[in-house]
Amino acid sequence: MSANPSLNPPVVPASAALLDDPGPARPTYVVRTLGCQMNVHDSEHMAGMLEGAGYVRASAEAEARDDADVVVINTCAVRENAATRLYGNLGQLASVKARRDGMQIAVGGCLAQKDREVIVEKAPWVDVVFGTHNLDALPVLLERARHNERAQVEIAESLQVFPSTLPTRRESVYAGWVSISVGCNNTCTFCIVPHLRGKERDRRPGQVLAEVEALVAQGAVEVTLLGQNVNSYGVEFGDRGAFAKLLRACGSVAGLERVRFTSPHPAAFTDDVIDAMAQTPNVMPQLHMPLQSGSDRVLRAMRRSYRSDRFLGILDRVRAAMPDAAITTDLIVGFPGETEEDFAETLRVVEASRFASAFTFQYSPRPGTPAATLPDQLPKDVVQERYERLTALQDRISAEESAAQVGRTVEVLVTDGTGRKDEVSRRVTGRAADNRLVHLALPATSPSLADPATDPRLADVVHPDVPRPGDLVTVTVTRSAPYHLVADSALDAGGTYAVRRTPAGDAWVARERARLGLGGDEHSHGAPAVAGAPVSLGMPVLRGR
């Protein structure tokens, strides 16, 4: 039993029979995620809830065949094609369900919160619809739908249980998401998120740090702090400087190598956050700062409470404090009423900003948002032409910024799976401190990673030149492309190449050994017995007597 029950609230199974069944055939599940990082993290909670209720994750092969007892689709409602993607998925699953007795389909997330019963009307083979505010209800709703033999639609209007109190099945053992807040208090005219996720609710710093420390204890070396607007964190409990303080506190967590966060809002971004980033060694020199438009007139129409000069001033101060920082952004093309002059302002600000990359979107009206009813909605061909000009500009800037990295020595956190290959080298893939994607070559004398049956990363004694996912490798960048770097320095005599083992690599080995039925690794240096198993962390919850 945990000494601190607030960190491990009880899990109530949806069906006792699922846990009491002594047979080997436990029900399987798949969670499909459509949307942003918040959706990805919500999907981890959904998986944790299902595993706590006795389900097991379907194998990759079974998932590819849609061969699972429960398929959960976690939806997004930000883009116009969200519904198209959902109903495309549901249409494909209809035939699978027709031939698979007992299969259940659940739809959650933002589009479920918005469309509710409409989903079951359009796709009557769906068993469960649940919203953003009641993730915890998923196992109970599945059991109820099974018992009642009819679809269950349950949409809470406000947050019932803070998501971070729920069990979590982490996708990665070396990097984890940590939610610091949910909801949003902004009123951007193009955005439906505040309507679907509600007003901002902040977790207390101690609860956030407890989750970070627990992740590190399990082997994670990288954490990303999540919120719809992270730099307004603390307003709810009366401390406007709380986010900068939280970043500094993360710097004191032993074993935590990398801290990232997403996403801030330019209107609330303050210099104390820049100082905390620059002065805290494990906070990475990377910033995602959504611009949306470079036109002040369009920003006013969007209700984005900053102007282009303020935005550029923030970037100048960030780069003065962290010269090597990589800055990325979000951009919307074709907002209602955008003129050619407005668009030219966006091109100007993008040129001046020197973004490493940009997520660029064509405006799509979302029913229920103020912008959807604005006059002067732009023709599709105009929006498409502007979009192509903007992406061409950003492609050029990204290529130039990447080329400036050639010759730099970087430390890369290796991720799962192998990287790009060519006739000369075998590569693995990872992220540099500034979050740039790096494909790095292994020394010619290192064993091959191509055959999973003889994976040298799982050997009792790992070859010193072979990095495991979660390990850190120091290399020199040898060439570039707009959106990735290549580091083949290991192929040169005396070239830069050094592997640094981490607890994250140990945790990855423990998880893979368990997955393959190879047993635990007695020499895993403190890795968890079953890495990647569901965990439950965060705020205390009320318990019934």
Side-chain angles (χ1 to χ4, degrees):
M1 181 179 295
S2 170
N4 186 347
S6 72
L7 296 184
N8 293 281
V11 176
V12 180
S15 169
L18 291 177
L19 295 180
D20 293 339
D21 181 7
R26 297 169 67 194
T28 59
Y29 76 89
V30 166
V31 179
R32 295 183 182 176
T33 307
L34 312 176
C36 65
Q37 298 97 328
M38 195 68 75
N39 280 48
V40 172
H41 193 35
D42 283 350
S43 290
E44 292 182 335
H45 292 311
M46 294 173 192
M49 289 296 300
L50 291 171
E51 294 195 9
Y55 295 83
V56 294
R57 183 173 177 172
S59 67
E61 296 77 12
E63 182 172 351
R65 300 190 305 267
D66 296 310
D67 186 14
D69 295 300
V70 171
V71 176
V72 182
I73 304 177
N74 185 13
T75 63
C76 173
V78 172
R79 309 306 305 158
E80 188 176 22
N81 67 352
T84 302
R85 294 180 68 193
L86 170 62
Y87 291 109
N89 272 266
L90 292 177
Q92 179 261 332
L93 287 171
S95 59
V96 178
K97 185 176 181 181
R99 63 176 183 268
R100 198 181 197 289
D101 187 45
M103 178 183 178
Q104 290 186 291
I105 299 170
V107 178
C110 291
L111 196 62
Q113 186 80 21
K114 173 178 172 289
D115 285 359
R116 308 181 181 217
E117 291 85 356
V118 173
I119 293 172
V120 175
E121 292 170 6
K122 291 186 176 180
W125 54 93
V126 170
D127 299 277
V128 169
V129 178
F130 63 107
T132 59
H133 298 313
N134 60 329
L135 304 184
D136 57 307
L138 173 58
V140 173
L141 292 173
L142 288 167
E143 179 65 10
R144 193 186 300 163
R146 188 182 301 113
H147 179 271
N148 295 347
E149 297 183 344
R150 60 177 295 178
Q152 301 296 306
V153 179
E154 187 170 299
I155 306 293
E157 297 300 333
S158 60
L159 194 65
Q160 303 298 296
V161 178
F162 205 99
S164 295
T165 67
L166 302 176
T168 305
R169 203 276 186 193
R170 306 277 179 179
E171 285 297 309
S172 169
V173 296
Y174 45 83
W177 309 101
V178 174
S179 176
I180 68 171
S181 64
V182 295
C184 182
N185 293 337
N186 293 315
T187 58
C188 303
T189 56
F190 57 82
C191 186
I192 199 168
V193 167
H195 173 66
L196 300 179
R197 289 195 176 265
K199 292 293 186 181
E200 183 174 316
R201 293 278 307 278
D202 294 336
R203 297 173 72 193
R204 292 287 177 164
Q207 294 151 357
V208 174
L209 290 170
E211 183 171 356
V212 170
E213 290 166 353
L215 278 171
V216 173
Q218 289 186 316
V221 293
E222 177 175 298
V223 161
T224 301
L225 305 176
L226 280 181
Q228 300 295 152
N229 179 9
V230 291
N231 52 308
S232 67
Y233 172 73
V235 172
E236 186 185 26
F237 54 82
D239 185 357
R240 292 185 176 274
F243 185 59
K245 294 173 186 175
L246 182 62
L247 290 177
R248 292 183 186 276
C250 286
S252 64
V253 177
L256 181 58
E257 301 263 357
R258 295 182 170 189
V259 178
R260 305 186 190 279
F261 59 88
T262 193
S263 290
H265 192 294
F269 198 78
T270 50
D271 288 349
D272 62 333
V273 174
I274 298 173
D275 294 340
M277 292 176 67
Q279 296 165 13
T280 309
N282 63 358
V283 177
M284 293 295 95
Q286 175 232 338
L287 180 65
H288 185 74
M289 182 66 74
L291 170 62
Q292 307 302 2
S293 175
S295 162
D296 290 349
R297 193 186 69 82
V298 172
L299 288 172
R300 279 192 293 273
M302 290 179 168
R303 290 187 196 156
R304 300 284 288 180
S305 48
Y306 57 88
R307 301 296 173 255
S308 59
D309 284 351
R310 172 173 169 75
F311 185 92
L312 291 171
I314 292 171
L315 303 197
D316 288 343
R317 294 194 297 279
V318 168
R319 288 181 169 129
M322 295 169 285
D324 296 328
I327 301 174
T328 57
T329 198
D330 295 332
L331 295 162
I332 296 174
V333 178
F335 188 80
E338 179 190 75
T339 65
E340 181 61 29
E341 290 74 19
D342 293 324
F343 180 66
E345 280 296 285
T346 294
L347 296 179
R348 178 187 68 82
V349 176
V350 168
E351 182 76 66
S353 297
R354 308 299 297 176
F355 298 119
S357 64
F359 296 95
T360 306
F361 305 96
Q362 298 184 33
Y363 170 76
S364 57
R366 308 307 298 131
T369 63
T373 58
L374 287 175
D376 300 323
Q377 302 280 331
L378 271 62
K380 171 66 177 175
D381 59 337
V382 172
V383 178
Q384 180 67 33
E385 190 273 337
R386 290 178 184 172
Y387 175 82
E388 290 173 1
R389 274 193 282 160
L390 180 57
T391 54
L393 171 62
Q394 185 56 54
D395 286 347
R396 173 179 64 77
I397 293 170
S398 294
E400 293 168 356
E401 293 298 303
S402 285
Q405 306 302 308
V406 175
R408 289 190 61 199
T409 297
V410 296
E411 189 172 50
V412 179
L413 176 62
V414 175
T415 54
D416 216 342
T418 54
R420 297 189 174 207
K421 305 176 180 68
D422 59 26
E423 295 178 357
V424 177
S425 67
R426 297 156 295 143
R427 297 190 179 95
V428 297
T429 294
R431 294 279 177 177
D434 63 8
N435 212 36
R436 284 187 167 91
L437 186 67
V438 182
H439 304 297
L440 60 96
L442 304 182
T445 55
S446 64
S448 172
L449 306 182
D451 184 2
T454 58
D455 191 336
R457 298 172 297 183
L458 301 181
D460 289 336
V461 179
V462 181
H463 190 285
D465 289 338
V466 173
R468 307 159 304 176
D471 286 338
L472 290 150
V473 184
T474 301
V475 287
T476 298
V477 178
T478 53
R479 57 191 172 92
S480 68
Y483 299 106
H484 71 265
L485 305 174
V486 174
D488 282 350
S489 54
L491 302 179
D492 299 331
T496 306
Y497 185 85
V499 177
R500 180 158 66 90
R501 302 291 181 206
T502 70
D506 298 335
W508 181 86
V509 169
R511 186 186 69 175
E512 288 302 291
R513 283 176 171 268
R515 184 179 67 84
L516 297 171
L518 300 177
D521 181 2
E522 296 178 357
H523 306 288
S524 62
H525 306 291
V530 184
V535 295
S536 183
L537 302 158
M539 297 173 67
V541 296
L542 294 175
R543 306 183 185 191
R545 291 186 180 273

Coordinates of all heavy atoms in Angstrom, one line a residue, residues 2-37:
S2 N 0.5 2.2 -0.8 CA 1.3 3.5 -0.9 C 1.2 4.2 0.4 O 0.1 4.3 1.1 CB 0.7 4.3 -2.0 OG 1.3 5.6 -2.0
A3 N 2.3 4.8 0.8 CA 2.3 5.7 2.0 C 1.5 7.0 1.8 O 1.2 7.6 2.7 CB 3.7 5.9 2.4
N4 N 1.3 7.3 0.5 CA 0.6 8.6 0.2 C -0.5 8.3 -0.7 O -0.4 8.2 -1.9 CB 1.6 9.5 -0.5 CG 0.9 10.9 -0.7 OD1 -0.3 11.1 -0.6 ND2 1.7 11.9 -1.1
P5 N -1.7 8.1 -0.2 CA -2.9 7.6 -1.0 C -3.3 8.7 -2.0 O -3.9 8.3 -3.0 CB -4.0 7.4 0.1 CG -3.6 8.3 1.3 CD -2.1 8.2 1.3
S6 N -2.9 9.9 -1.8 CA -3.3 10.9 -2.8 C -2.6 10.7 -4.1 O -3.0 11.2 -5.2 CB -3.0 12.3 -2.3 OG -1.6 12.6 -2.3
L7 N -1.4 10.0 -4.1 CA -0.7 9.8 -5.3 C -1.2 8.5 -6.0 O -0.9 8.2 -7.2 CB 0.8 9.6 -5.0 CG 1.5 10.9 -4.5 CD1 3.0 10.6 -4.4 CD2 1.2 12.1 -5.4
N8 N -2.0 7.7 -5.3 CA -2.4 6.4 -5.9 C -3.9 6.2 -5.5 O -4.2 5.3 -4.7 CB -1.6 5.2 -5.4 CG -0.2 5.3 -6.0 OD1 0.1 5.0 -7.1 ND2 0.7 5.8 -5.1
P9 N -4.8 7.0 -6.1 CA -6.2 6.8 -5.8 C -6.7 5.5 -6.2 O -6.1 4.9 -7.2 CB -6.9 8.0 -6.5 CG -6.0 8.4 -7.6 CD -4.6 8.1 -7.0
P10 N -7.7 4.9 -5.6 CA -8.2 3.6 -5.9 C -8.8 3.5 -7.3 O -9.4 4.5 -7.8 CB -9.3 3.3 -4.9 CG -9.8 4.7 -4.5 CD -8.6 5.6 -4.6
V11 N -8.6 2.4 -8.0 CA -9.2 2.1 -9.3 C -10.4 1.1 -9.1 O -10.2 0.1 -8.5 CB -8.2 1.5 -10.2 CG1 -8.8 1.1 -11.5 CG2 -7.0 2.4 -10.5
V12 N -11.5 1.5 -9.5 CA -12.7 0.7 -9.3 C -13.0 0.0 -10.7 O -13.2 0.7 -11.7 CB -14.0 1.5 -8.9 CG1 -15.2 0.6 -8.8 CG2 -13.7 2.2 -7.6
P13 N -12.8 -1.3 -10.8 CA -13.1 -2.0 -12.1 C -14.5 -1.8 -12.6 O -15.4 -1.8 -11.8 CB -12.7 -3.4 -11.8 CG -12.7 -3.6 -10.3 CD -12.5 -2.2 -9.7
A14 N -14.6 -1.7 -13.9 CA -16.0 -1.6 -14.5 C -16.7 -2.9 -14.3 O -17.9 -2.9 -14.1 CB -15.9 -1.3 -15.9
S15 N -16.1 -4.0 -14.3 CA -16.7 -5.3 -14.1 C -15.8 -6.1 -13.3 O -14.7 -6.4 -13.7 CB -17.0 -5.9 -15.4 OG -17.4 -7.3 -15.2
A16 N -16.2 -6.6 -12.1 CA -15.4 -7.5 -11.3 C -15.1 -8.7 -12.0 O -14.0 -9.3 -11.8 CB -16.1 -7.8 -10.0
A17 N -16.0 -9.2 -12.9 CA -15.7 -10.4 -13.7 C -14.5 -10.3 -14.5 O -13.7 -11.2 -14.7 CB -16.9 -10.7 -14.5
L18 N -14.2 -9.0 -15.0 CA -13.0 -8.9 -15.8 C -11.7 -9.2 -15.1 O -10.8 -9.7 -15.6 CB -12.9 -7.4 -16.4 CG -14.0 -7.1 -17.4 CD1 -13.9 -5.6 -17.7 CD2 -14.0 -7.9 -18.6
L19 N -11.7 -8.8 -13.8 CA -10.5 -9.0 -13.0 C -10.5 -10.4 -12.3 O -9.4 -11.0 -12.0 CB -10.4 -7.9 -11.9 CG -10.2 -6.5 -12.4 CD1 -10.1 -5.6 -11.2 CD2 -8.9 -6.4 -13.2
D20 N -11.7 -11.0 -12.1 CA -11.8 -12.3 -11.4 C -11.6 -13.4 -12.3 O -11.4 -14.6 -11.8 CB -13.1 -12.4 -10.6 CG -13.2 -11.4 -9.5 OD1 -12.2 -10.9 -9.0 OD2 -14.4 -11.0 -9.1
D21 N -11.7 -13.2 -13.6 CA -11.6 -14.3 -14.5 C -10.2 -14.9 -14.5 O -9.2 -14.2 -14.9 CB -11.9 -13.8 -16.0 CG -11.9 -14.9 -17.0 OD1 -11.7 -16.1 -16.6 OD2 -11.9 -14.6 -18.2
P22 N -10.0 -16.2 -14.1 CA -8.7 -16.7 -14.0 C -8.1 -17.1 -15.4 O -6.9 -17.4 -15.5 CB -8.9 -17.9 -13.1 CG -10.3 -18.4 -13.4 CD -11.1 -17.1 -13.7
G23 N -8.9 -17.2 -16.4 CA -8.5 -17.6 -17.7 C -7.5 -16.6 -18.3 O -7.5 -15.5 -17.9
P24 N -6.8 -17.1 -19.3 CA -5.8 -16.2 -20.0 C -6.3 -15.2 -20.9 O -5.7 -14.2 -21.3 CB -4.9 -17.2 -20.7 CG -5.8 -18.4 -21.0 CD -6.8 -18.4 -19.9
A25 N -7.6 -15.4 -21.4 CA -8.1 -14.5 -22.4 C -8.8 -13.3 -21.8 O -10.0 -13.2 -21.6 CB -9.1 -15.3 -23.2
R26 N -8.0 -12.2 -21.5 CA -8.5 -11.0 -21.0 C -8.9 -10.1 -22.2 O -8.3 -10.2 -23.3 CB -7.5 -10.3 -20.1 CG -7.1 -11.1 -18.9 CD -5.9 -10.5 -18.2 NE -6.2 -9.2 -17.6 CZ -5.3 -8.3 -17.2 NH1 -4.0 -8.6 -17.3 NH2 -5.6 -7.1 -16.7
P27 N -9.9 -9.3 -22.1 CA -10.4 -8.5 -23.2 C -9.3 -7.5 -23.6 O -8.6 -6.9 -22.8 CB -11.6 -7.8 -22.7 CG -11.5 -7.8 -21.2 CD -10.8 -9.1 -20.9
T28 N -9.2 -7.2 -24.9 CA -8.2 -6.3 -25.4 C -8.8 -5.0 -25.9 O -10.0 -4.9 -26.1 CB -7.5 -7.0 -26.6 OG1 -8.5 -7.3 -27.7 CG2 -6.8 -8.3 -26.2
Y29 N -7.9 -4.0 -26.0 CA -8.4 -2.7 -26.4 C -7.3 -2.0 -27.3 O -6.2 -2.3 -27.3 CB -8.6 -1.8 -25.1 CG -7.3 -1.3 -24.5 CD1 -6.7 -0.1 -25.0 CD2 -6.6 -2.0 -23.5 CE1 -5.5 0.4 -24.4 CE2 -5.4 -1.5 -23.0 CZ -4.9 -0.3 -23.4 OH -3.7 0.1 -22.9
V30 N -7.8 -1.0 -28.0 CA -7.0 -0.1 -28.8 C -7.5 1.3 -28.6 O -8.8 1.5 -28.6 CB -7.1 -0.5 -30.3 CG1 -6.5 0.6 -31.2 CG2 -6.4 -1.8 -30.6
V31 N -6.6 2.3 -28.5 CA -7.1 3.7 -28.4 C -6.4 4.4 -29.6 O -5.2 4.4 -29.8 CB -6.6 4.4 -27.1 CG1 -7.0 5.8 -27.1 CG2 -7.2 3.7 -25.9
R32 N -7.3 5.0 -30.5 CA -6.8 5.8 -31.6 C -6.9 7.3 -31.2 O -8.0 7.7 -30.8 CB -7.7 5.5 -32.8 CG -7.6 4.1 -33.4 CD -8.4 4.0 -34.7 NE -8.4 2.7 -35.2 CZ -9.1 2.3 -36.3 NH1 -9.9 3.2 -36.9 NH2 -9.0 1.1 -36.8
T33 N -5.9 8.0 -31.5 CA -5.9 9.4 -31.1 C -5.9 10.3 -32.3 O -5.0 10.2 -33.2 CB -4.6 9.7 -30.2 OG1 -4.5 8.8 -29.2 CG2 -4.7 11.2 -29.7
L34 N -6.9 11.2 -32.3 CA -6.9 12.3 -33.4 C -6.8 13.6 -32.7 O -7.6 14.0 -31.9 CB -8.3 12.2 -34.1 CG -8.7 10.8 -34.6 CD1 -10.1 10.9 -35.2 CD2 -7.8 10.2 -35.6
G35 N -5.7 14.4 -32.9 CA -5.6 15.7 -32.3 C -4.3 16.0 -31.7 O -3.2 15.5 -32.1
C36 N -4.3 16.9 -30.7 CA -3.1 17.6 -30.2 C -2.5 16.8 -29.1 O -2.9 15.7 -28.7 CB -3.5 18.9 -29.7 SG -4.7 18.9 -28.2
Q37 N -1.4 17.4 -28.5 CA -0.7 16.7 -27.4 C -1.7 16.4 -26.2 O -1.5 15.4 -25.5 CB 0.4 17.6 -26.9 CG 1.5 17.8 -28.0 CD 1.3 19.2 -28.7 OE1 0.2 19.6 -28.8 NE2 2.4 19.8 -29.1

